Amino acid sequence: MKFFSVTAIVALASALLQAQAACTSSTCPCTGHAAGLMCGNESPDFRCINGHVYQCSSNGHTCDFGVRKECNSCGKPTC
């Protein structure tokens, strides 16, 4: 169990560091979503790209991290 916890923490930290470096401003709105990550698949808005993961800020602005395999496989940032 301890190994799983450490592995999960390392994987999450790695994903966050990679995502922060590759984020670009986006016009995909976060209307109806809390601040945090969402997939373009979760929004009916044409400005959101299916398969891309977005960071929603508390003010409604978004940042696009690009393609994430989880968005394509389960429609959520993490499966």
Side-chain angles (χ1 to χ4, degrees), residues 3-78:
F3 174 75
F4 176 75
S5 297
V6 171
T7 303
I9 291 170
V10 169
L12 178 60
S14 175
L16 289 174
L17 288 174
Q18 288 175 1
Q20 288 175 352
C23 195
T24 57
S25 184
S26 172
T27 58
C28 172
C30 282
T31 307
H33 290 277
L37 297 177
M38 75 164 202
C39 289
N41 312 41
E42 296 180 70
S43 174
D45 195 287
F46 72 92
R47 294 171 288 182
C48 303
I49 302 169
N50 286 350
H52 281 223
V53 68
Y54 296 90
Q55 173 71 45
C56 297
S57 66
S58 58
N59 64 5
H61 294 162
T62 56
C63 186
D64 185 351
F65 290 124
V67 175
R68 181 173 284 182
K69 65 180 180 180
E70 290 85 352
C71 289
N72 287 318
S73 63
C74 70
K76 301 285 182 182
T78 56

